Amino acid sequence: AQSVAQPEDQVNVAEGNPLTVKCTYSVSGNPYLFWYVQYPNRGLQFLLKYITGDNLVKGSYGFEAEFNKSQTSFHLKKPSALVSDSALYFCAVRDALTGGGNKLTFGTGTQLKVEL
Amino acid sequence: DVKVTQSSRYLVKRTGEKVFLECVQDMDHENMFWYRQDPGLGLRLIYFSYDVKMKEKGDIPEGYSVSREKKERFSLILESASTNQTSMYLCASSSLAGYNEQFFGPGTRLTVL
C-alpha cells in the first residue's frame, strides 16, 4: 500500500522568507513523488517530481524539493516566498512497483499563506 | 500544452437526479482519472481507466459509475445524486508510464440540493 502525509494544514510565512511545506510517504518499493499546486477554484497544476537520481529536484516558479530516503520525506521548498505563492499544495506518491493505471495517492493538502 | 477540459465549472442538481460529468483530453493519454476533492480530505480517487472500455474502481466508487467509449473522453455518472455527493470533481489524464505526472482539468463544483 502507498500513503502520504502532509502534517501541516496551514503554513504561514512572510514574503521574502524561505518556505517549507512538509511531506512524508510510505511505499513498499521505490517512490515516484510529485508536488502539485491549486489556486482558488482551479484544478491542480504540476510543480515537480522525483523519479530517481539527484535528491534535489527543481521545478516551476522557483520551487524545489528534497528527497530523503532515510526519512521518507519529500519537502517542498522555496528560498524566497512571494504573496502570489499563496495556494493549496498537494504532495502525491506512487509506488514504482505497483501495476497499471498510474494510480497516485494524494495528501490532504497544505494551505500556504504568504503575507506582506 | 496538455489540455483537459470538463463539461461544466458549476452544476446544481436535485437529489435523485442522474448526473453526467464529462472530461476530454487532447494529448492521446491512455490513463484517465476521476477524483473528488473535499476540505480536509484531499483528493480521493473514484475511478480510473487505462484504456478504452476499461475501468477500475478507486478508493470511493460507491454511488458512481464511469464510461470510456473513446480514448479522449471519460465520463463520470452519478446514477441517483445524493447530498453527500456535493463536492469538487476533478478529472485528470496521464500517459502510461508510471513516472509521468497527471494533468488536471479545472474541476466541476457540484451541488446536490
PDB file of all heavy atoms in Angstrom, chain A residues 32 36 38 41-44 46 49 51 90 94 101-104 106-108, chain B residues 9 31 33 35 37 40 42 45 48 59 90 94 98-102 104-106:
ATOM      1  N   TYR A  32       7.722   7.189  -6.624  1.00  0.00           N
ATOM      2  CA  TYR A  32       7.655   8.332  -7.512  1.00  0.00           C
ATOM      3  C   TYR A  32       6.884   9.396  -6.721  1.00  0.00           C
ATOM      4  O   TYR A  32       5.780   9.134  -6.238  1.00  0.00           O
ATOM      5  CB  TYR A  32       6.914   8.016  -8.803  1.00  0.00           C
ATOM      6  CG  TYR A  32       7.565   6.981  -9.676  1.00  0.00           C
ATOM      7  CD1 TYR A  32       6.801   6.059 -10.399  1.00  0.00           C
ATOM      8  CD2 TYR A  32       8.951   6.906  -9.811  1.00  0.00           C
ATOM      9  CE1 TYR A  32       7.386   5.099 -11.209  1.00  0.00           C
ATOM     10  CE2 TYR A  32       9.541   5.956 -10.629  1.00  0.00           C
ATOM     11  CZ  TYR A  32       8.757   5.051 -11.316  1.00  0.00           C
ATOM     12  OH  TYR A  32       9.338   4.105 -12.114  1.00  0.00           O
ATOM     13  N   TYR A  36       1.969  19.224  -6.414  1.00  0.00           N
ATOM     14  CA  TYR A  36       1.014  19.996  -7.206  1.00  0.00           C
ATOM     15  C   TYR A  36       0.588  21.222  -6.407  1.00  0.00           C
ATOM     16  O   TYR A  36       0.589  21.218  -5.179  1.00  0.00           O
ATOM     17  CB  TYR A  36      -0.235  19.178  -7.513  1.00  0.00           C
ATOM     18  CG  TYR A  36      -0.042  18.048  -8.499  1.00  0.00           C
ATOM     19  CD1 TYR A  36       0.439  16.818  -8.084  1.00  0.00           C
ATOM     20  CD2 TYR A  36      -0.355  18.222  -9.841  1.00  0.00           C
ATOM     21  CE1 TYR A  36       0.610  15.783  -8.985  1.00  0.00           C
ATOM     22  CE2 TYR A  36      -0.192  17.191 -10.755  1.00  0.00           C
ATOM     23  CZ  TYR A  36       0.292  15.971 -10.319  1.00  0.00           C
ATOM     24  OH  TYR A  36       0.455  14.952 -11.215  1.00  0.00           O
ATOM     25  N   GLN A  38      -2.647  24.210  -6.189  1.00  0.00           N
ATOM     26  CA  GLN A  38      -4.015  24.530  -6.603  1.00  0.00           C
ATOM     27  C   GLN A  38      -4.358  25.947  -6.158  1.00  0.00           C
ATOM     28  O   GLN A  38      -4.365  26.253  -4.958  1.00  0.00           O
ATOM     29  CB  GLN A  38      -5.009  23.542  -6.004  1.00  0.00           C
ATOM     30  CG  GLN A  38      -6.436  23.753  -6.496  1.00  0.00           C
ATOM     31  CD  GLN A  38      -7.406  22.788  -5.865  1.00  0.00           C
ATOM     32  OE1 GLN A  38      -7.276  22.422  -4.705  1.00  0.00           O
ATOM     33  NE2 GLN A  38      -8.394  22.349  -6.638  1.00  0.00           N
ATOM     34  N   ASN A  41     -10.468  27.773  -6.801  1.00  0.00           N
ATOM     35  CA  ASN A  41     -11.429  27.410  -7.851  1.00  0.00           C
ATOM     36  C   ASN A  41     -10.758  26.976  -9.156  1.00  0.00           C
ATOM     37  O   ASN A  41     -11.289  27.192 -10.239  1.00  0.00           O
ATOM     38  CB  ASN A  41     -12.386  28.571  -8.123  1.00  0.00           C
ATOM     39  CG  ASN A  41     -13.214  28.904  -6.905  1.00  0.00           C
ATOM     40  OD1 ASN A  41     -13.765  28.016  -6.252  1.00  0.00           O
ATOM     41  ND2 ASN A  41     -13.280  30.169  -6.559  1.00  0.00           N
ATOM     42  N   ARG A  42      -9.605  26.363  -9.033  1.00  0.00           N
ATOM     43  CA  ARG A  42      -8.885  25.874 -10.198  1.00  0.00           C
ATOM     44  C   ARG A  42      -8.522  24.416 -10.011  1.00  0.00           C
ATOM     45  O   ARG A  42      -8.566  23.885  -8.898  1.00  0.00           O
ATOM     46  CB  ARG A  42      -7.592  26.671 -10.404  1.00  0.00           C
ATOM     47  CG  ARG A  42      -7.790  28.168 -10.573  1.00  0.00           C
ATOM     48  CD  ARG A  42      -8.369  28.518 -11.917  1.00  0.00           C
ATOM     49  NE  ARG A  42      -7.483  28.191 -13.007  1.00  0.00           N
ATOM     50  CZ  ARG A  42      -6.489  28.962 -13.427  1.00  0.00           C
ATOM     51  NH1 ARG A  42      -6.239  30.112 -12.830  1.00  0.00           N
ATOM     52  NH2 ARG A  42      -5.755  28.591 -14.444  1.00  0.00           N
ATOM     53  N   GLY A  43      -8.123  23.774 -11.085  1.00  0.00           N
ATOM     54  CA  GLY A  43      -7.593  22.417 -10.985  1.00  0.00           C
ATOM     55  C   GLY A  43      -6.171  22.438 -10.460  1.00  0.00           C
ATOM     56  O   GLY A  43      -5.609  23.482 -10.152  1.00  0.00           O
ATOM     57  N   LEU A  44      -5.583  21.262 -10.342  1.00  0.00           N
ATOM     58  CA  LEU A  44      -4.221  21.157  -9.843  1.00  0.00           C
ATOM     59  C   LEU A  44      -3.218  21.377 -10.967  1.00  0.00           C
ATOM     60  O   LEU A  44      -3.418  20.908 -12.089  1.00  0.00           O
ATOM     61  CB  LEU A  44      -3.982  19.773  -9.233  1.00  0.00           C
ATOM     62  CG  LEU A  44      -4.387  19.588  -7.772  1.00  0.00           C
ATOM     63  CD1 LEU A  44      -5.876  19.711  -7.598  1.00  0.00           C
ATOM     64  CD2 LEU A  44      -3.877  18.241  -7.259  1.00  0.00           C
ATOM     65  N   PHE A  46       0.847  20.848 -11.954  1.00  0.00           N
ATOM     66  CA  PHE A  46       2.061  20.111 -11.619  1.00  0.00           C
ATOM     67  C   PHE A  46       3.210  21.076 -11.349  1.00  0.00           C
ATOM     68  O   PHE A  46       3.422  22.029 -12.105  1.00  0.00           O
ATOM     69  CB  PHE A  46       2.399  19.187 -12.787  1.00  0.00           C
ATOM     70  CG  PHE A  46       3.751  18.563 -12.714  1.00  0.00           C
ATOM     71  CD1 PHE A  46       4.014  17.541 -11.828  1.00  0.00           C
ATOM     72  CD2 PHE A  46       4.768  18.999 -13.549  1.00  0.00           C
ATOM     73  CE1 PHE A  46       5.266  16.956 -11.774  1.00  0.00           C
ATOM     74  CE2 PHE A  46       6.023  18.431 -13.504  1.00  0.00           C
ATOM     75  CZ  PHE A  46       6.276  17.414 -12.614  1.00  0.00           C
ATOM     76  N   LYS A  49       8.611  16.718  -9.792  1.00  0.00           N
ATOM     77  CA  LYS A  49       8.543  15.309  -9.429  1.00  0.00           C
ATOM     78  C   LYS A  49       9.932  14.736  -9.186  1.00  0.00           C
ATOM     79  O   LYS A  49      10.922  15.256  -9.702  1.00  0.00           O
ATOM     80  CB  LYS A  49       7.851  14.502 -10.528  1.00  0.00           C
ATOM     81  CG  LYS A  49       8.613  14.465 -11.851  1.00  0.00           C
ATOM     82  CD  LYS A  49       7.808  13.706 -12.910  1.00  0.00           C
ATOM     83  CE  LYS A  49       8.537  13.735 -14.261  1.00  0.00           C
ATOM     84  NZ  LYS A  49       7.724  13.104 -15.337  1.00  0.00           N
ATOM     85  N   ILE A  51      11.829  11.047  -9.572  1.00  0.00           N
ATOM     86  CA  ILE A  51      11.735   9.668 -10.080  1.00  0.00           C
ATOM     87  C   ILE A  51      12.933   8.869  -9.583  1.00  0.00           C
ATOM     88  O   ILE A  51      12.801   7.823  -8.964  1.00  0.00           O
ATOM     89  CB  ILE A  51      11.691   9.654 -11.619  1.00  0.00           C
ATOM     90  CG1 ILE A  51      10.504  10.462 -12.119  1.00  0.00           C
ATOM     91  CG2 ILE A  51      11.622   8.229 -12.145  1.00  0.00           C
ATOM     92  CD1 ILE A  51      10.516  10.702 -13.611  1.00  0.00           C
ATOM     93  N   PHE A  90      -0.357  20.128  -2.728  1.00  0.00           N
ATOM     94  CA  PHE A  90      -0.575  18.703  -2.527  1.00  0.00           C
ATOM     95  C   PHE A  90       0.678  17.921  -2.883  1.00  0.00           C
ATOM     96  O   PHE A  90       1.276  18.127  -3.937  1.00  0.00           O
ATOM     97  CB  PHE A  90      -1.718  18.189  -3.410  1.00  0.00           C
ATOM     98  CG  PHE A  90      -3.078  18.635  -2.990  1.00  0.00           C
ATOM     99  CD1 PHE A  90      -3.681  19.720  -3.613  1.00  0.00           C
ATOM    100  CD2 PHE A  90      -3.759  17.980  -1.990  1.00  0.00           C
ATOM    101  CE1 PHE A  90      -4.937  20.144  -3.237  1.00  0.00           C
ATOM    102  CE2 PHE A  90      -5.022  18.387  -1.606  1.00  0.00           C
ATOM    103  CZ  PHE A  90      -5.613  19.473  -2.226  1.00  0.00           C
ATOM    104  N   ARG A  94       3.455   7.516  -5.789  1.00  0.00           N
ATOM    105  CA  ARG A  94       3.115   6.270  -6.448  1.00  0.00           C
ATOM    106  C   ARG A  94       4.247   5.291  -6.195  1.00  0.00           C
ATOM    107  O   ARG A  94       5.411   5.647  -6.342  1.00  0.00           O
ATOM    108  CB  ARG A  94       2.913   6.455  -7.941  1.00  0.00           C
ATOM    109  CG  ARG A  94       2.564   5.143  -8.659  1.00  0.00           C
ATOM    110  CD  ARG A  94       2.259   5.335 -10.121  1.00  0.00           C
ATOM    111  NE  ARG A  94       1.837   4.082 -10.748  1.00  0.00           N
ATOM    112  CZ  ARG A  94       2.653   3.261 -11.382  1.00  0.00           C
ATOM    113  NH1 ARG A  94       3.940   3.542 -11.480  1.00  0.00           N
ATOM    114  NH2 ARG A  94       2.191   2.142 -11.922  1.00  0.00           N
ATOM    115  N   GLY A 101      -2.098   1.654 -14.517  1.00  0.00           N
ATOM    116  CA  GLY A 101      -3.043   2.685 -14.152  1.00  0.00           C
ATOM    117  C   GLY A 101      -2.429   3.935 -13.596  1.00  0.00           C
ATOM    118  O   GLY A 101      -3.104   4.951 -13.487  1.00  0.00           O
ATOM    119  N   ASN A 102      -1.153   3.909 -13.220  1.00  0.00           N
ATOM    120  CA  ASN A 102      -0.510   5.124 -12.757  1.00  0.00           C
ATOM    121  C   ASN A 102      -1.288   5.787 -11.631  1.00  0.00           C
ATOM    122  O   ASN A 102      -1.485   6.991 -11.608  1.00  0.00           O
ATOM    123  CB  ASN A 102      -0.345   6.104 -13.928  1.00  0.00           C
ATOM    124  CG  ASN A 102       0.572   7.258 -13.605  1.00  0.00           C
ATOM    125  OD1 ASN A 102       1.231   7.282 -12.581  1.00  0.00           O
ATOM    126  ND2 ASN A 102       0.599   8.246 -14.479  1.00  0.00           N
ATOM    127  N   LYS A 103      -1.723   4.981 -10.676  1.00  0.00           N
ATOM    128  CA  LYS A 103      -2.576   5.486  -9.609  1.00  0.00           C
ATOM    129  C   LYS A 103      -1.738   6.219  -8.573  1.00  0.00           C
ATOM    130  O   LYS A 103      -0.792   5.670  -8.018  1.00  0.00           O
ATOM    131  CB  LYS A 103      -3.304   4.306  -8.972  1.00  0.00           C
ATOM    132  CG  LYS A 103      -4.231   4.668  -7.848  1.00  0.00           C
ATOM    133  CD  LYS A 103      -4.891   3.387  -7.312  1.00  0.00           C
ATOM    134  CE  LYS A 103      -5.614   3.673  -6.015  1.00  0.00           C
ATOM    135  NZ  LYS A 103      -6.228   2.456  -5.452  1.00  0.00           N
ATOM    136  N   LEU A 104      -2.096   7.484  -8.333  1.00  0.00           N
ATOM    137  CA  LEU A 104      -1.416   8.298  -7.335  1.00  0.00           C
ATOM    138  C   LEU A 104      -2.233   8.352  -6.053  1.00  0.00           C
ATOM    139  O   LEU A 104      -3.457   8.336  -6.093  1.00  0.00           O
ATOM    140  CB  LEU A 104      -1.247   9.729  -7.843  1.00  0.00           C
ATOM    141  CG  LEU A 104      -0.204  10.000  -8.927  1.00  0.00           C
ATOM    142  CD1 LEU A 104      -0.247  11.476  -9.321  1.00  0.00           C
ATOM    143  CD2 LEU A 104       1.179   9.634  -8.447  1.00  0.00           C
ATOM    144  N   PHE A 106      -2.777  10.959  -2.919  1.00  0.00           N
ATOM    145  CA  PHE A 106      -2.539  12.359  -2.578  1.00  0.00           C
ATOM    146  C   PHE A 106      -2.627  12.568  -1.070  1.00  0.00           C
ATOM    147  O   PHE A 106      -3.387  11.898  -0.365  1.00  0.00           O
ATOM    148  CB  PHE A 106      -3.570  13.259  -3.254  1.00  0.00           C
ATOM    149  CG  PHE A 106      -3.329  13.455  -4.721  1.00  0.00           C
ATOM    150  CD1 PHE A 106      -3.772  12.523  -5.639  1.00  0.00           C
ATOM    151  CD2 PHE A 106      -2.654  14.582  -5.182  1.00  0.00           C
ATOM    152  CE1 PHE A 106      -3.549  12.698  -6.995  1.00  0.00           C
ATOM    153  CE2 PHE A 106      -2.437  14.769  -6.542  1.00  0.00           C
ATOM    154  CZ  PHE A 106      -2.879  13.820  -7.438  1.00  0.00           C
ATOM    155  N   GLY A 107      -1.867  13.546  -0.606  1.00  0.00           N
ATOM    156  CA  GLY A 107      -2.018  14.010   0.763  1.00  0.00           C
ATOM    157  C   GLY A 107      -3.257  14.880   0.900  1.00  0.00           C
ATOM    158  O   GLY A 107      -3.958  15.156  -0.074  1.00  0.00           O
ATOM    159  N   THR A 108      -3.497  15.334   2.120  1.00  0.00           N
ATOM    160  CA  THR A 108      -4.701  16.114   2.393  1.00  0.00           C
ATOM    161  C   THR A 108      -4.535  17.588   2.061  1.00  0.00           C
ATOM    162  O   THR A 108      -5.494  18.357   2.128  1.00  0.00           O
ATOM    163  CB  THR A 108      -5.117  15.974   3.859  1.00  0.00           C
ATOM    164  OG1 THR A 108      -3.987  16.286   4.669  1.00  0.00           O
ATOM    165  CG2 THR A 108      -5.583  14.554   4.153  1.00  0.00           C
TER     166      THR A 108
ATOM    167  N   ARG B   9     -18.238  24.048 -15.072  1.00  0.00           N
ATOM    168  CA  ARG B   9     -17.486  24.517 -13.912  1.00  0.00           C
ATOM    169  C   ARG B   9     -18.333  24.443 -12.648  1.00  0.00           C
ATOM    170  O   ARG B   9     -17.842  24.125 -11.576  1.00  0.00           O
ATOM    171  CB  ARG B   9     -17.023  25.962 -14.116  1.00  0.00           C
ATOM    172  CG  ARG B   9     -15.959  26.146 -15.173  1.00  0.00           C
ATOM    173  CD  ARG B   9     -14.674  25.367 -14.878  1.00  0.00           C
ATOM    174  NE  ARG B   9     -14.120  25.650 -13.569  1.00  0.00           N
ATOM    175  CZ  ARG B   9     -13.318  26.668 -13.286  1.00  0.00           C
ATOM    176  NH1 ARG B   9     -12.987  27.519 -14.236  1.00  0.00           N
ATOM    177  NH2 ARG B   9     -12.853  26.855 -12.071  1.00  0.00           N
ATOM    178  N   ASN B  31      -4.283   6.901 -19.756  1.00  0.00           N
ATOM    179  CA  ASN B  31      -4.911   6.898 -18.436  1.00  0.00           C
ATOM    180  C   ASN B  31      -5.801   8.109 -18.237  1.00  0.00           C
ATOM    181  O   ASN B  31      -5.429   9.235 -18.583  1.00  0.00           O
ATOM    182  CB  ASN B  31      -3.844   6.931 -17.338  1.00  0.00           C
ATOM    183  CG  ASN B  31      -2.958   5.708 -17.343  1.00  0.00           C
ATOM    184  OD1 ASN B  31      -3.416   4.606 -17.604  1.00  0.00           O
ATOM    185  ND2 ASN B  31      -1.692   5.912 -17.040  1.00  0.00           N
ATOM    186  N   PHE B  33      -8.642   9.710 -15.051  1.00  0.00           N
ATOM    187  CA  PHE B  33      -8.990   9.560 -13.639  1.00  0.00           C
ATOM    188  C   PHE B  33     -10.122  10.519 -13.267  1.00  0.00           C
ATOM    189  O   PHE B  33     -10.212  11.621 -13.798  1.00  0.00           O
ATOM    190  CB  PHE B  33      -7.786   9.916 -12.755  1.00  0.00           C
ATOM    191  CG  PHE B  33      -6.529   9.187 -13.110  1.00  0.00           C
ATOM    192  CD1 PHE B  33      -5.695   9.667 -14.118  1.00  0.00           C
ATOM    193  CD2 PHE B  33      -6.149   8.051 -12.429  1.00  0.00           C
ATOM    194  CE1 PHE B  33      -4.518   9.007 -14.447  1.00  0.00           C
ATOM    195  CE2 PHE B  33      -4.974   7.379 -12.745  1.00  0.00           C
ATOM    196  CZ  PHE B  33      -4.164   7.866 -13.756  1.00  0.00           C
ATOM    197  N   TYR B  35     -11.481  12.183  -9.613  1.00  0.00           N
ATOM    198  CA  TYR B  35     -11.297  12.392  -8.189  1.00  0.00           C
ATOM    199  C   TYR B  35     -12.423  13.282  -7.667  1.00  0.00           C
ATOM    200  O   TYR B  35     -12.992  14.075  -8.406  1.00  0.00           O
ATOM    201  CB  TYR B  35      -9.988  13.148  -7.915  1.00  0.00           C
ATOM    202  CG  TYR B  35      -8.724  12.451  -8.302  1.00  0.00           C
ATOM    203  CD1 TYR B  35      -8.167  12.619  -9.569  1.00  0.00           C
ATOM    204  CD2 TYR B  35      -8.032  11.665  -7.383  1.00  0.00           C
ATOM    205  CE1 TYR B  35      -6.975  11.998  -9.911  1.00  0.00           C
ATOM    206  CE2 TYR B  35      -6.832  11.046  -7.723  1.00  0.00           C
ATOM    207  CZ  TYR B  35      -6.324  11.226  -8.990  1.00  0.00           C
ATOM    208  OH  TYR B  35      -5.127  10.620  -9.320  1.00  0.00           O
ATOM    209  N   GLN B  37     -12.735  16.127  -4.458  1.00  0.00           N
ATOM    210  CA  GLN B  37     -11.921  16.881  -3.510  1.00  0.00           C
ATOM    211  C   GLN B  37     -12.831  17.494  -2.465  1.00  0.00           C
ATOM    212  O   GLN B  37     -13.762  18.241  -2.793  1.00  0.00           O
ATOM    213  CB  GLN B  37     -11.129  17.980  -4.219  1.00  0.00           C
ATOM    214  CG  GLN B  37     -10.255  18.786  -3.286  1.00  0.00           C
ATOM    215  CD  GLN B  37      -9.523  19.916  -3.991  1.00  0.00           C
ATOM    216  OE1 GLN B  37      -9.748  20.186  -5.165  1.00  0.00           O
ATOM    217  NE2 GLN B  37      -8.635  20.578  -3.278  1.00  0.00           N
ATOM    218  N   GLY B  40     -10.065  19.107   3.845  1.00  0.00           N
ATOM    219  CA  GLY B  40      -9.518  18.258   4.893  1.00  0.00           C
ATOM    220  C   GLY B  40      -9.316  16.813   4.503  1.00  0.00           C
ATOM    221  O   GLY B  40      -8.686  16.048   5.252  1.00  0.00           O
ATOM    222  N   GLY B  42      -8.410  16.008   1.098  1.00  0.00           N
ATOM    223  CA  GLY B  42      -7.556  15.960  -0.076  1.00  0.00           C
ATOM    224  C   GLY B  42      -8.310  15.426  -1.284  1.00  0.00           C
ATOM    225  O   GLY B  42      -9.526  15.595  -1.403  1.00  0.00           O
ATOM    226  N   LEU B  45      -9.610   9.133  -5.091  1.00  0.00           N
ATOM    227  CA  LEU B  45      -9.838   8.566  -6.411  1.00  0.00           C
ATOM    228  C   LEU B  45     -11.157   7.807  -6.444  1.00  0.00           C
ATOM    229  O   LEU B  45     -11.397   6.919  -5.629  1.00  0.00           O
ATOM    230  CB  LEU B  45      -8.675   7.635  -6.769  1.00  0.00           C
ATOM    231  CG  LEU B  45      -8.712   6.986  -8.137  1.00  0.00           C
ATOM    232  CD1 LEU B  45      -8.622   8.051  -9.239  1.00  0.00           C
ATOM    233  CD2 LEU B  45      -7.578   5.988  -8.271  1.00  0.00           C
ATOM    234  N   PHE B  48     -10.692   5.029 -12.276  1.00  0.00           N
ATOM    235  CA  PHE B  48      -9.749   5.361 -13.323  1.00  0.00           C
ATOM    236  C   PHE B  48      -9.856   4.372 -14.468  1.00  0.00           C
ATOM    237  O   PHE B  48     -10.466   3.306 -14.332  1.00  0.00           O
ATOM    238  CB  PHE B  48      -8.320   5.479 -12.788  1.00  0.00           C
ATOM    239  CG  PHE B  48      -7.714   4.201 -12.292  1.00  0.00           C
ATOM    240  CD1 PHE B  48      -6.856   3.468 -13.102  1.00  0.00           C
ATOM    241  CD2 PHE B  48      -7.956   3.749 -11.011  1.00  0.00           C
ATOM    242  CE1 PHE B  48      -6.263   2.306 -12.634  1.00  0.00           C
ATOM    243  CE2 PHE B  48      -7.379   2.591 -10.536  1.00  0.00           C
ATOM    244  CZ  PHE B  48      -6.525   1.871 -11.349  1.00  0.00           C
ATOM    245  N   ASP B  59     -10.742   4.454  -4.696  1.00  0.00           N
ATOM    246  CA  ASP B  59     -10.931   4.296  -3.260  1.00  0.00           C
ATOM    247  C   ASP B  59     -12.379   4.495  -2.806  1.00  0.00           C
ATOM    248  O   ASP B  59     -12.791   3.959  -1.777  1.00  0.00           O
ATOM    249  CB  ASP B  59     -10.026   5.287  -2.516  1.00  0.00           C
ATOM    250  CG  ASP B  59      -8.567   5.055  -2.853  1.00  0.00           C
ATOM    251  OD1 ASP B  59      -8.143   3.885  -2.904  1.00  0.00           O
ATOM    252  OD2 ASP B  59      -7.843   6.050  -3.076  1.00  0.00           O
ATOM    253  N   LEU B  90     -12.702  16.472  -9.949  1.00  0.00           N
ATOM    254  CA  LEU B  90     -11.547  16.757 -10.794  1.00  0.00           C
ATOM    255  C   LEU B  90     -11.249  15.570 -11.698  1.00  0.00           C
ATOM    256  O   LEU B  90     -11.199  14.432 -11.239  1.00  0.00           O
ATOM    257  CB  LEU B  90     -10.319  17.053  -9.930  1.00  0.00           C
ATOM    258  CG  LEU B  90     -10.373  18.318  -9.092  1.00  0.00           C
ATOM    259  CD1 LEU B  90      -9.257  18.340  -8.070  1.00  0.00           C
ATOM    260  CD2 LEU B  90     -10.266  19.547  -9.974  1.00  0.00           C
ATOM    261  N   SER B  94      -3.073  11.024 -17.933  1.00  0.00           N
ATOM    262  CA  SER B  94      -1.623  10.846 -17.976  1.00  0.00           C
ATOM    263  C   SER B  94      -1.300   9.780 -19.003  1.00  0.00           C
ATOM    264  O   SER B  94      -2.153   8.968 -19.376  1.00  0.00           O
ATOM    265  CB  SER B  94      -1.070  10.450 -16.612  1.00  0.00           C
ATOM    266  OG  SER B  94      -1.393   9.107 -16.301  1.00  0.00           O
ATOM    267  N   GLY B  98       4.514   5.133 -15.446  1.00  0.00           N
ATOM    268  CA  GLY B  98       4.166   5.444 -14.067  1.00  0.00           C
ATOM    269  C   GLY B  98       4.844   6.669 -13.500  1.00  0.00           C
ATOM    270  O   GLY B  98       4.368   7.249 -12.532  1.00  0.00           O
ATOM    271  N   TYR B  99       5.946   7.086 -14.105  1.00  0.00           N
ATOM    272  CA  TYR B  99       6.649   8.250 -13.575  1.00  0.00           C
ATOM    273  C   TYR B  99       6.160   9.561 -14.164  1.00  0.00           C
ATOM    274  O   TYR B  99       6.661  10.624 -13.825  1.00  0.00           O
ATOM    275  CB  TYR B  99       8.153   8.105 -13.812  1.00  0.00           C
ATOM    276  CG  TYR B  99       8.519   7.718 -15.229  1.00  0.00           C
ATOM    277  CD1 TYR B  99       8.512   8.665 -16.246  1.00  0.00           C
ATOM    278  CD2 TYR B  99       8.860   6.409 -15.539  1.00  0.00           C
ATOM    279  CE1 TYR B  99       8.830   8.314 -17.541  1.00  0.00           C
ATOM    280  CE2 TYR B  99       9.176   6.043 -16.832  1.00  0.00           C
ATOM    281  CZ  TYR B  99       9.165   7.002 -17.835  1.00  0.00           C
ATOM    282  OH  TYR B  99       9.480   6.649 -19.107  1.00  0.00           O
ATOM    283  N   ASN B 100       5.177   9.497 -15.044  1.00  0.00           N
ATOM    284  CA  ASN B 100       4.656  10.721 -15.638  1.00  0.00           C
ATOM    285  C   ASN B 100       3.569  11.342 -14.780  1.00  0.00           C
ATOM    286  O   ASN B 100       2.739  10.653 -14.193  1.00  0.00           O
ATOM    287  CB  ASN B 100       4.112  10.445 -17.034  1.00  0.00           C
ATOM    288  CG  ASN B 100       5.221  10.297 -18.053  1.00  0.00           C
ATOM    289  OD1 ASN B 100       6.309  10.845 -17.862  1.00  0.00           O
ATOM    290  ND2 ASN B 100       4.960   9.578 -19.113  1.00  0.00           N
ATOM    291  N   GLU B 101       3.569  12.665 -14.774  1.00  0.00           N
ATOM    292  CA  GLU B 101       2.593  13.372 -13.963  1.00  0.00           C
ATOM    293  C   GLU B 101       1.207  13.312 -14.591  1.00  0.00           C
ATOM    294  O   GLU B 101       1.045  13.064 -15.776  1.00  0.00           O
ATOM    295  CB  GLU B 101       3.022  14.841 -13.792  1.00  0.00           C
ATOM    296  CG  GLU B 101       3.140  15.615 -15.088  1.00  0.00           C
ATOM    297  CD  GLU B 101       4.532  15.528 -15.695  1.00  0.00           C
ATOM    298  OE1 GLU B 101       5.255  14.532 -15.430  1.00  0.00           O
ATOM    299  OE2 GLU B 101       4.905  16.454 -16.435  1.00  0.00           O
ATOM    300  N   GLN B 102       0.217  13.546 -13.754  1.00  0.00           N
ATOM    301  CA  GLN B 102      -1.151  13.663 -14.223  1.00  0.00           C
ATOM    302  C   GLN B 102      -1.447  15.134 -14.510  1.00  0.00           C
ATOM    303  O   GLN B 102      -0.960  16.029 -13.826  1.00  0.00           O
ATOM    304  CB  GLN B 102      -2.118  13.119 -13.168  1.00  0.00           C
ATOM    305  CG  GLN B 102      -1.965  11.622 -12.934  1.00  0.00           C
ATOM    306  CD  GLN B 102      -2.917  11.089 -11.894  1.00  0.00           C
ATOM    307  OE1 GLN B 102      -3.845  11.761 -11.464  1.00  0.00           O
ATOM    308  NE2 GLN B 102      -2.699   9.839 -11.483  1.00  0.00           N
ATOM    309  N   PHE B 104      -4.507  17.905 -14.881  1.00  0.00           N
ATOM    310  CA  PHE B 104      -5.850  18.073 -14.339  1.00  0.00           C
ATOM    311  C   PHE B 104      -6.692  19.066 -15.126  1.00  0.00           C
ATOM    312  O   PHE B 104      -6.187  20.065 -15.644  1.00  0.00           O
ATOM    313  CB  PHE B 104      -5.774  18.545 -12.887  1.00  0.00           C
ATOM    314  CG  PHE B 104      -5.415  17.445 -11.933  1.00  0.00           C
ATOM    315  CD1 PHE B 104      -4.093  17.052 -11.773  1.00  0.00           C
ATOM    316  CD2 PHE B 104      -6.398  16.795 -11.204  1.00  0.00           C
ATOM    317  CE1 PHE B 104      -3.767  16.027 -10.897  1.00  0.00           C
ATOM    318  CE2 PHE B 104      -6.074  15.779 -10.332  1.00  0.00           C
ATOM    319  CZ  PHE B 104      -4.761  15.387 -10.179  1.00  0.00           C
ATOM    320  N   GLY B 105      -7.987  18.798 -15.152  1.00  0.00           N
ATOM    321  CA  GLY B 105      -8.937  19.767 -15.646  1.00  0.00           C
ATOM    322  C   GLY B 105      -9.235  20.809 -14.579  1.00  0.00           C
ATOM    323  O   GLY B 105      -8.753  20.720 -13.456  1.00  0.00           O
ATOM    324  N   PRO B 106     -10.072  21.816 -14.921  1.00  0.00           N
ATOM    325  CA  PRO B 106     -10.356  22.918 -13.999  1.00  0.00           C
ATOM    326  C   PRO B 106     -11.289  22.551 -12.853  1.00  0.00           C
ATOM    327  O   PRO B 106     -11.399  23.296 -11.884  1.00  0.00           O
ATOM    328  CB  PRO B 106     -11.004  23.968 -14.901  1.00  0.00           C
ATOM    329  CG  PRO B 106     -11.601  23.180 -15.995  1.00  0.00           C
ATOM    330  CD  PRO B 106     -10.701  22.016 -16.225  1.00  0.00           C
TER     331      PRO B 106
END
